[in-house]
Amino acid sequence: MEEQAEGLSELLNESSPKTESNTKKTSAAAAIKKEHGTRIIAITSGKGGVGKTNFAVNMAIAYAQLGKKVILIDGDLGMANVNVLLNIVPQYNLMHVINKKKTMKEIIMDTEFGIKFIAGANGFSKIANLSVEELEYFANQFATLGNADIIIIDTGAGIANNVLQFVAAADEVFVVTTPEPTAITDAYGIIKIITTEIVDRTVNIKLIVNRVHSPDEGKRISERIITIVGQFLGYKIEYLGCIPEDPLVQASVIRQKPFIVVNPTSKPSVYLKHIVGRIEKTEPEFNEGVSSFLKKFLSKKK
């Protein structure tokens, strides 16, 4: 992987001499140079069933409603289900780009909700085996995503290696939990793994408490987690907000239509828009766009 990472570094280095042999490399660098500070957010959780994917989908739509160019990537390589919530059937996924059968433009799907969607399948898992030439093609293609304002990656739940790779590479990481004791324990567990496994950089971790019965409950749960993380891990995380329990959410899942679209004035929709508003008032500490994401993602490959 060191050789592969060096190859990518050269590929993304716009100061490389412009010779005939590296024309394609400079073209890739030029494409990435055009990106405008794309914000990349990874959404994860310690366990399944806490509403992580539902949150990711609806947050993407909330951003689109603010006029942002949003790309939602299904990064759950084992149980990909973003497309189910969007009620679409992807014909192509990242594997087709990695295999050079399709361009990134050809696999990105427009949705009726104002966001673009990329199906992950098992695509990213093959990056570890790419040659420098294959990586060159993929980097060129991934660079085209730099025109987006927001890229949201719905990772798998738990501690799989690919989850940590997405988390390590993103500008910000949103950990979703619920008031259930097991969910709280698992949220602490995933935060502990993130902060102990990713030692070469600070990860910007933020907390979302889903399915609360009141804002006070969300605040209480978040304070408990933040205190424990600070005390035992010496790490500071931020509480972004909560989403209330509401029958509308489950009903929208069954209908395969996001709750923010089904009822934009419902409590879950209003709370979610408030969270997105809070996010928009801050800038990530490190925001270097898709080129930085690729470098960090590959640096975590073993």
Side-chain angles (χ1 to χ4, degrees):
M1 281 311 303
E2 290 183 3
E3 179 181 346
Q4 186 191 57
E6 289 175 4
L8 179 63
S9 179
E10 289 182 20
L11 175 63
L12 301 179
N13 186 357
E14 63 181 0
S15 63
S16 298
K18 294 185 178 180
T19 64
E20 184 176 353
S21 63
N22 68 2
T23 301
K24 292 182 180 178
K25 293 182 181 182
T26 55
S27 66
I32 291 174
K33 186 180 178 182
K34 294 178 183 178
E35 64 181 272
H36 57 284
T38 302
R39 192 171 194 161
I40 302 178
I41 300 171
I43 301 180
T44 192
S45 63
K47 68 186 290 289
V50 298
K52 169 185 61 63
T53 297
N54 207 6
F55 178 81
V57 169
N58 283 275
M59 187 179 78
I61 296 171
Y63 260 116
Q65 291 176 348
L66 292 178
K68 300 290 185 180
K69 296 178 182 177
V70 184
I71 297 174
L72 177 61
I73 300 177
D74 195 336
D76 190 338
L77 306 184
M79 298 288 289
N81 56 9
V82 170
N83 62 294
V84 176
L85 294 181
L86 294 173
N87 194 23
I88 56 180
V89 180
Q91 186 175 0
Y92 307 111
N93 54 57
L94 280 172
M95 183 66 79
H96 292 91
V97 176
I98 290 172
N99 290 336
K100 298 174 131 183
K101 293 180 179 179
K102 295 291 177 180
T103 64
M104 193 69 75
K105 182 178 180 181
E106 289 174 320
I107 73 164
I108 293 180
M109 300 183 66
D110 290 315
T111 73
E112 61 179 296
F113 309 113
I115 65 174
K116 294 183 180 294
F117 170 62
I118 296 177
N122 292 310
F124 267 115
S125 63
K126 191 184 175 185
I127 289 185
N129 302 318
L130 295 184
S131 66
V132 172
E133 290 74 21
E134 290 171 326
L135 188 62
E136 178 182 325
Y137 177 81
F138 182 77
N140 248 316
Q141 293 302 314
F142 200 88
T144 63
L145 303 183
N147 290 324
D149 297 310
I150 308 288
I151 294 177
I152 297 173
I153 303 171
D154 177 41
T155 77
I159 59 174
N161 286 337
N162 60 69
V163 172
L164 290 178
Q165 288 163 219
F166 284 128
V167 164
D171 298 315
E172 297 159 286
V173 179
F174 295 175
V175 176
V176 179
T177 188
T178 70
E180 295 178 5
T182 54
I184 295 171
T185 301
D186 288 337
Y188 172 76
I190 190 67
I191 292 170
K192 179 179 180 180
I193 290 170
I194 291 171
T195 56
T196 54
E197 290 290 326
I198 304 171
V199 296
D200 57 342
R201 65 181 69 95
T202 299
V203 182
N204 189 354
I205 303 174
K206 299 180 180 180
L207 187 66
I208 308 289
V209 184
N210 194 23
R211 299 174 183 164
V212 301
H213 294 95
S214 69
D216 285 342
E217 182 180 40
K219 186 177 181 181
R220 188 167 61 252
I221 297 299
S222 68
E223 287 177 346
R224 186 187 312 172
I225 296 174
I226 290 171
T227 299
I228 295 174
V229 169
Q231 181 178 351
F232 291 101
L233 304 179
Y235 215 88
K236 183 178 180 180
I237 62 175
E238 178 185 349
Y239 175 52
L240 272 183
C242 61
I243 304 293
E245 178 75 66
D246 194 306
L248 166 71
V249 176
Q250 183 60 30
S252 68
V253 171
I254 294 173
R255 291 177 58 183
Q256 294 180 272
K257 198 165 187 176
F259 64 76
I260 200 170
V261 176
V262 173
N263 189 343
T265 60
S266 66
K267 279 189 176 181
S269 299
V270 171
Y271 277 58
L272 178 60
K273 292 174 184 177
H274 178 70
I275 289 173
V276 170
R278 287 193 62 186
I279 300 169
E280 276 298 280
K281 290 179 182 178
T282 65
E283 286 292 332
E285 185 176 355
F286 303 104
N287 182 8
E288 299 172 324
V290 297
S291 58
S292 175
F293 174 85
L294 267 177
K295 290 178 183 177
K296 289 185 289 185
F297 185 89
L298 286 170
S299 73
K300 301 309 294 181
K301 285 288 192 183
K302 301 299 182 183

